[in-house]
Amino acid sequence: MFNTEICISTFICILIFILLVIIVSVQLILVWKRRDRNYYLKFLFLIVSGLIYNVIEGILPDKDFRINIISQNIFAWLIGLGVAVHYFIYIKSEYDLIFFKRVSLSGIGMFATLALIFLFILPYTITGSLKTSRTYFLSFILAISMVAIIIIIKQQTKKARAQNKIIFKIHDFMGILSFLGLITLPFTILLFGDNQFIEQTFFSIGFFIIAVDYFLYSFRKKEIKKIIPFEKLSIRETEILKLLLEDPNLKYSEISKMLNISEKTLSTHLSNIYKKIEIKSKKEIHELSKIYKNTITD
């Protein structure tokens, strides 16, 4: 289409992404002064990355470009990897996915980059065979992903069963579907090669699944307001609890400085909070934070 390599399915996906970017941008402007604006901001960045992926992967490689095909493919794969890692970081944070406890996000990013260099870029530049190099790289990534999906399905199913509200069960199962959307990327390329319709459509569906969950965000907030009895707390107690739910790792000394109160006064407030919302320790605050993070409003 338009004298490019973009097929009709990719063009439709691009239009959907543009529409989502517009909608979320408007919502972000409306909620900018709210405490939960970071949720909208992170989702906007995710959708923009999905848009970039579809545009770049749809255009490249193009024989009419002056840049050689190998360089175009390497650039397209670098963009693809960057978007995939960004997607992975988003769903890991949003759905509290736990793979290997001792592996950090930066470690995962570095690992993926090294795998791309040694299993794709080097073999491709040496042999000139796109099929061979992508088989090396994607087979390795897919093998790891298959192990991860078993962990994710078990983890998210257990969390969903423990939820009393259907809206939170849906959110947990969306975590499974979103990760499956990520796995479709290496799987479809290995199976169908450079089939733009299949590859980009299936990966884009993963983004659209997350978008559905994004539009359910307001319903989750309503349920949260019912579950946490903020109305039982004073203004100061509510402020302290929201800070802890946003970042349960905050030290009491840090909270004291942020609110300009003494640690003794903070301790008194915390004691009242624990009694009123019926929790016994900061450990339970951590558990609450996993569910309610990014859903706190002013």
Side-chain angles (χ1 to χ4, degrees), residues 50-112:
L51 174 60
I52 292 172
Y53 169 81
N54 274 275
V55 172
I56 297 298
E57 299 293 331
I59 292 175
L60 301 179
D62 191 329
K63 295 180 180 179
D64 294 331
F65 285 3
R66 295 181 181 180
I67 303 173
N68 66 72
I69 295 298
I70 290 179
S71 297
Q72 289 186 49
N73 277 321
I74 290 175
F75 176 73
W77 276 69
L78 284 170
I79 294 296
L81 178 65
V83 172
V85 170
H86 182 198
Y87 180 103
F88 172 78
I89 291 173
Y90 179 91
I91 64 173
K92 186 179 187 303
S93 173
E94 176 62 20
Y95 301 103
D96 192 33
L97 305 182
I98 300 174
F99 301 90
F100 306 103
K101 294 182 178 180
R102 296 183 179 181
V103 180
S104 64
L105 289 177
S106 59
I108 291 172
M110 181 64 70
F111 178 78

Side-chain angles (χ1 to χ4, degrees), residues 15 26 54 89-90 110 166 180 236 247 276 291:
L15 290 180
V26 172
N54 274 275
I89 291 173
Y90 179 91
M110 181 64 70
I166 186 65
L180 287 174
R236 179 63 85 183
D247 185 2
K276 290 178 180 179
I291 301 174

